């Protein structure tokens, strides 16, 4: 992570000016992520801390444009758009987005002690799982699907859960972007992977499939293992491409991992049950939250 009082040349002047105005003077810039087509800065000042995302190139810029558009219309409780400029084509495709910085642990972070086999981490992990389920439930009730749920994309702030990486977010019943690939393959339901194999054009994501992904992501956060028993089906998932994984999962012939093989099987049981149910029979996110609340800590 690089820290300075001014951003690098990758950040457009207009974006840095707006970010400095939001944060207040003096503002300190920290480069959190720097990839070939996008950068993320944390800008801290006396007024507030903001996130500045900049995307360059056709694909990355359009993805950030979609995220900004989704954030503008998603229900309250999500990330607010403070400033944005999209589809700027001088001299190359570029987009930028400024939002408040979501301060707090991710769901993945909240489950660290549990993954370290510490009983003291059970309360924090269960609380984070319930909070995430409730946030997803509110999103679905408002008529939206996130489309890329994973434990790293939810931040538990003092004001509630903030869902990040909303590039693919869509209103329920609307087709997702043609660029949509489903998110992290290991967390996708067999029905969704089958739909992605047939065509991504006109694909409508059912909240039921997002419940599968929610449960699968919580399983991963709690155990560091994937929720599917690839080895039992003769697959080495570590050597497979995303396309090959999607095709394998789409067959619905890979069994779920066994909750009994893990120390806190009572916590994993509702997650496994949610994934095991056929489409249309899975619990809602609110119902899954209630089931996890009832899991004993000892």
């Amino acid at each position: 992570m690089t820290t300075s009082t001014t951003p690098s040349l990758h950040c457009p002047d207009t974006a840095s000016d707006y970010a400095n105005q939001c944060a207040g003077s003096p503002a300190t810039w920290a480069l959190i992520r720097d990839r070939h087509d996008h950068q993320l800065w944390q800008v801290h000042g006396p007024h507030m801390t903001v996130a500045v995302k900049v995307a360059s190139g056709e694909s990355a810029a359009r993805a950030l444009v979609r995220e900004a558009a989704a954030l503008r219309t998603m229900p309250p409780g999500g990330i607010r758009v403070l400033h944005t400029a999209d589809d700027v084509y001088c001299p190359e495709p570029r987009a930028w987005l400024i939002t408040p910085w979501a301060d707090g642990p991710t769901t993945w972070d909240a489950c660290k002690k549990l993954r370290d086999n510490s009983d003291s981490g059970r309360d924090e992990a269960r609380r984070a799982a319930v909070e995430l389920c409730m946030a997803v439930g509110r999103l679905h009730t408002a008529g939206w699907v996130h489309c890329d749920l994973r434990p790293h994309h939810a931040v538990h702030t003092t004001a509630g859960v903030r869902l990040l990486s909303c590039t693919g977010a869509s209103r329920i019943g609307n087709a997702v972007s043609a660029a949509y690939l489903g998110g992290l393959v290991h967390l996708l339901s067999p029905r969704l992977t089958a739909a992605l194999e047939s065509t991504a054009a006109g694909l409508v994501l059912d909240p039921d499939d997002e419940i599968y992904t929610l449960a699968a992501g919580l399983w991963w956060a709690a155990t560091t293992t994937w929720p599917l028993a690839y080895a039992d089906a003769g697959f080495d998932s570590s050597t497979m491409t995303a396309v090959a994984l999607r095709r394998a999962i789409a067959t619905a012939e890979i069994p779920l991992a066994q909750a009994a093989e893990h120390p806190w099987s009572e916590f994993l049981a509702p997650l496994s049950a949610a994934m095991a149910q056929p489409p249309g029979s899975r619990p809602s996110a609110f119902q899954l939250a209630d089931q996890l609340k009832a899991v004993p800590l000892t």
Side-chain angles (χ1 to χ4, degrees):
M1 182 176 70
T2 301
T3 303
S4 66
T5 55
T6 56
S8 75
L9 295 177
H10 291 294
C11 186
D13 290 342
T14 307
S16 61
D17 288 344
Y18 274 127
N20 286 331
Q21 290 174 23
C22 291
S25 180
T28 300
W29 288 68
L31 183 58
I32 305 300
R33 185 168 62 244
D34 187 8
R35 298 176 182 169
H36 73 283
D37 59 356
H38 72 273
Q39 293 80 38
L40 170 65
W41 282 272
Q42 181 191 64
V43 186
H44 179 72
H47 296 163
M48 66 185 305
T49 302
V50 300
V52 181
K53 291 183 178 181
V54 178
S56 302
E58 184 79 20
S59 178
R62 289 199 177 279
L64 192 55
V65 168
R66 289 194 300 272
E67 180 168 19
L71 291 177
R72 289 191 193 103
T73 53
M74 287 175 73
I79 300 293
R80 290 184 296 120
V81 174
L82 298 177
H83 298 283
T84 184
D86 40 45
D87 266 342
V88 179
Y89 281 88
C90 295
E92 64 177 29
R94 178 173 290 186
W96 55 265
L97 171 66
I98 301 174
T99 66
W101 185 266
D103 190 21
T106 64
T107 306
W108 181 267
D109 296 333
C111 292
K112 183 181 184 306
K113 290 181 182 178
L114 179 62
R115 293 193 302 273
D116 291 342
N117 294 321
S118 171
D119 289 347
S120 64
R122 290 186 175 186
D123 183 52
E124 182 180 6
R126 187 183 66 175
R127 184 170 59 250
V130 169
E131 289 175 353
L132 177 56
C133 289
M134 295 295 289
V136 174
R138 289 190 292 270
L139 187 70
H140 289 176
T141 299
W144 281 79
V145 280
H146 183 273
C147 298
D148 191 11
L149 281 179
R150 61 182 82 179
H152 300 77
H153 290 171
V155 179
H156 299 260
T157 76
T158 56
V161 173
R162 297 294 179 260
L163 298 175
L164 310 181
S165 298
C166 297
T167 299
S170 174
R171 292 186 185 275
I172 294 173
N174 287 0
V176 299
S177 163
Y180 179 66
L181 296 176
L184 186 60
V185 179
H186 299 282
L187 309 183
L188 303 184
S189 72
R191 181 173 68 173
L192 180 54
T193 53
L196 287 166
E197 277 303 294
S198 59
T199 177
L203 176 66
V204 176
L205 186 64
D206 192 313
D208 189 76
D209 291 309
E210 189 147 273
I211 295 299
Y212 180 103
T213 296
L214 170 63
L218 288 172
W219 178 291
W220 179 39
T223 67
T224 72
T225 63
W226 300 125
L228 292 177
Y230 292 108
D232 292 351
F235 294 110
D236 181 357
S237 63
S238 66
T239 65
M240 299 171 69
T241 64
V243 172
L245 278 169
R246 279 201 301 269
R247 290 173 179 168
I249 294 170
T251 65
E253 295 177 357
I254 303 176
L256 290 170
Q258 295 297 310
E261 297 176 357
H262 296 275
W264 197 17
S265 59
E266 296 86 353
F267 177 79
L268 299 177
L271 306 178
S272 182
M275 290 183 283
Q277 291 296 318
S281 299
R282 295 189 181 109
S284 69
F286 289 133
Q287 290 170 331
L288 185 57
D290 288 339
Q291 293 170 13
L292 292 172
K293 282 180 188 176
V295 173
L297 297 176
T298 56

